Amino acid sequence: LQQYSTMSNEFTPYILSRTLQSDLAPVRSLCHLESSNVLLAGSQAALLTRYTLGTSSSIAMDTLQEGHSHSITALLAGPSHSNDTDTDTDTNVDAELYVTGCKDGIVRVFRGRELVRELKGHTNNVSSLSWVYSDVQHHQQQQLPLLLSGSWDGIARIWNIETGECVQVLPDHENTTVVLGLKSGRIVTGSAGIAQNNRIVDTKIRIWQLNASKIQYELVKTIPYPTGPIRNLCSIPVSSQYNNISMQDNDNDSCMFATCSNDGTVKVWNEDSGECRFTFTHPESPMILSVMAGPDGTVVSTTEEGDLAVWCYESSEQPLQIIPHASTLWCAALLNDGEIATACQDGSVRIFSRDVSKACSEEELRTFEEGGKRGSKGPSSEEIAKLPRWEMRQVVAGKSEGQVQMFQKDGGSKAIAAQWSQTSGTWIEVGEVLSTRDTS
């Protein structure tokens, strides 16, 4: 495991604990049902796998395909606590509730193994899901918060999952849209931008606030993001440990959120000012596909090249730890005791722990590390020669929005990765390929 020691004495590195598999199809999404300690994994083959985690070495696994006919690209655990700031008591709203987003554009609400409701309205792949608490919830006498969904159709939708009604549409985003509900009741959306002259432009972050008199969300702030498509959003807890790097505003109620992008960075933003307060720059600038708040004030990201990176605010250009996988890492999920699960293109879910007593066998660890090393090698000249030439990209049509394809460039001296823009019908160059890990 590749490790950097910027927090030396304080950070305990992660080690591989378990490797889980079901249908061997690429794992595209994860979520953790905290109360029941169940890890859910959505596959590219439309299979949903439930792993019941426990204190013993055995893990119960069962699968279901109820309602899904396409890749499960987003998963969201049900809200496990109240957003009432007047009480310190967490209320378990519904321990077995969770939501899936699918490539067919349908959002599905489950309770345990039962499909409760289908939410239809998106016309393309559902890329993002989140909850938001607001006065709309109280106005409609809902027990559950509102559900947010973002899609490749350039639209964010707000749902009442108790009735199945779409209560509002947030339109006109630049292609793929990701969503996040903040503790303040505001909504953040991010876009992938539009293709123009072989470049991605007009990527934006938007912040929406509820107009109580209209009971509708209105756009209150637009933040240009000029360096690449926004792939994911997450909330960042405001903590006193950030004081020494001026993360906090005078307003203690302000929220922080993070974005990740194809530009190889994770950026932390203040929702009130719209200012970027911190930037984590990943070595070699790979496409960062997901970001989440980790334990003990860390931030965790996953990359198209297959890296799981753990960051702290004391160093922005050197992660605490990088764990290479053999293939693309679509996302990660935080488990009990600060453990981390990863969703990999190779069909495996892996769990990493900081408890050495939970380490996997030496043979399993050796196999995993060898896979990561193989994936970290750049493409050979023979492999590059087999790729389509960049000059002929017009005759190589992409199959879906966001598809990544390798091309040879500069007379075959290097390989580049390009991303397909369905709207403009063109390939957008992302950068040179320094790894042969899966680019699907």
Side-chain angles (χ1 to χ4, degrees):
L1 303 184
Q2 187 174 356
Q3 179 187 343
Y4 302 93
S5 55
T6 53
M7 282 179 70
S8 59
N9 296 329
E10 297 181 22
F11 178 71
T12 302
Y14 282 91
I15 52 176
L16 179 63
S17 176
R18 300 172 179 177
T19 300
L20 312 175
Q21 294 178 326
S22 58
D23 61 349
L24 300 182
V27 184
R28 295 297 305 271
S29 54
L30 292 172
C31 77
H32 181 235
L33 307 183
E34 185 176 356
S35 297
S36 53
N37 201 16
V38 168
L39 176 64
L40 298 172
S43 84
Q44 194 163 301
L47 196 69
L48 187 65
T49 302
R50 294 169 54 94
Y51 299 100
T52 302
L53 309 177
T55 55
S56 66
S57 58
S58 62
I59 293 179
M61 182 190 82
D62 64 304
T63 60
L64 66 153
Q65 201 166 9
E66 183 70 39
H68 298 108
S69 58
H70 295 77
S71 176
I72 302 171
T73 48
L75 272 167
L76 177 67
S80 59
H81 59 82
S82 168
N83 202 48
D84 187 351
T85 55
D86 294 330
T87 177
D88 293 329
T89 303
D90 283 353
T91 304
N92 188 348
V93 177
D94 195 330
E96 278 293 295
L97 185 75
Y98 57 93
V99 185
T100 69
C102 197
K103 193 174 181 180
D104 61 9
I106 300 175
V107 176
R108 294 173 174 87
V109 182
F110 286 84
R111 182 171 287 108
R113 296 180 60 89
E114 177 189 1
L115 175 60
V116 177
R117 181 169 282 111
E118 290 187 342
L119 309 178
K120 298 181 179 180
H122 287 298
T123 59
N124 212 323
N125 182 40
V126 178
S127 50
S128 180
L129 297 166
S130 184
W131 300 107
V132 64
Y133 292 83
S134 76
D135 290 339
V136 176
Q137 172 191 350
H138 302 301
H139 177 77
Q140 297 188 354
Q141 297 183 326
Q142 294 174 237
Q143 179 185 4
L144 297 170
L146 296 169
L147 174 68
L148 308 175
S149 62
S151 168
W152 287 7
D153 61 13
I155 290 173
R157 290 180 175 269
I158 307 175
W159 306 88
N160 177 340
I161 68 166
E162 296 175 31
T163 64
E165 176 190 4
C166 178
V167 299
Q168 190 175 349
V169 172
L170 307 180
D172 302 326
H173 292 79
E174 298 76 24
N175 293 310
T176 301
T177 306
V178 290
V179 295
L180 175 67
L182 297 176
K183 186 177 180 181
S184 65
R186 291 173 179 164
I187 294 171
V188 181
T189 58
S191 70
I194 58 176
Q196 187 177 92
N197 298 325
N198 196 36
R199 293 177 58 247
I200 296 293
V201 299
D202 289 341
T203 302
K204 294 182 177 70
I205 300 167
R206 293 174 170 88
I207 299 178
W208 308 77
Q209 184 166 306
L210 183 69
N211 183 321
S213 61
K214 296 181 180 179
I215 318 179
Q216 289 279 295
Y217 277 89
E218 296 179 346
L219 181 64
V220 294
K221 192 179 297 293
T222 300
I223 307 169
Y225 192 101
T227 55
I230 296 171
R231 302 299 295 257
N232 194 222
L233 298 162
C234 77
S235 293
I236 297 294
V238 176
S239 169
S240 59
Q241 66 180 297
Y242 305 149
N243 284 341
N244 62 336
I245 54 171
S246 303
M247 286 288 292
Q248 289 181 302
D249 282 339
N250 293 328
D251 182 2
N252 291 327
D253 294 328
S254 63
C255 294
M256 312 299 292
F257 65 91
T259 60
C260 65
S261 171
N262 284 5
D263 64 6
T265 66
V266 171
K267 295 181 182 292
V268 179
W269 307 79
N270 178 275
E271 67 160 309
D272 289 330
S273 65
E275 296 178 2
C276 177
R277 292 302 183 85
F278 211 74
T279 300
F280 301 108
T281 304
H282 196 290
E284 300 180 354
S285 299
M287 288 187 287
I288 300 182
L289 303 184
S290 77
V291 61
M292 70 175 187
D296 304 326
T298 58
V299 174
V300 177
S301 62
T302 67
T303 76
E304 180 272 334
E305 290 190 349
D307 289 333
L308 173 70
V310 183
W311 306 84
C312 76
Y313 290 94
E314 295 178 1
S315 175
S316 61
E317 297 185 1
Q318 188 165 287
L320 295 172
Q321 186 177 11
I322 292 180
I323 304 177
H325 292 57
S327 193
T328 295
L329 279 189
W330 290 102
C331 65
L334 187 63
L335 309 179
N336 295 343
D337 301 322
E339 294 183 342
I340 295 173
T342 59
C344 192
Q345 180 74 13
D346 68 3
S348 296
V349 173
R350 295 179 175 88
I351 297 178
F352 296 87
S353 175
R354 294 176 294 181
D355 183 348
V356 294
S357 68
K358 295 182 178 181
C360 65
S361 67
E362 292 185 6
E363 181 180 357
E364 183 179 347
L365 179 60
R366 184 166 54 251
T367 300
F368 171 69
E369 291 184 333
E370 288 175 355
K373 290 176 182 177
R374 283 197 300 272
S376 65
K377 296 178 181 178
S380 66
S381 57
E382 291 81 7
E383 291 172 325
I384 293 175
K386 295 177 183 179
L387 298 174
R389 297 200 308 274
W390 179 241
E391 295 80 5
M392 301 297 292
R393 61 189 179 277
Q394 293 86 354
V395 300
V396 182
K399 297 178 181 179
S400 61
E401 177 72 29
Q403 177 190 346
V404 177
Q405 167 71 45
M406 289 197 296
F407 293 86
Q408 59 167 290
K409 195 176 181 182
D410 295 347
S413 63
K414 67 179 181 180
I416 64 165
Q419 192 168 24
W420 178 252
S421 169
Q422 195 78 18
T423 304
S424 61
T426 57
W427 292 100
I428 308 300
E429 183 175 350
V430 175
E432 185 175 356
V433 176
L434 301 175
S435 162
T436 56
R437 284 177 254 187
D438 199 298
T439 56
S440 301

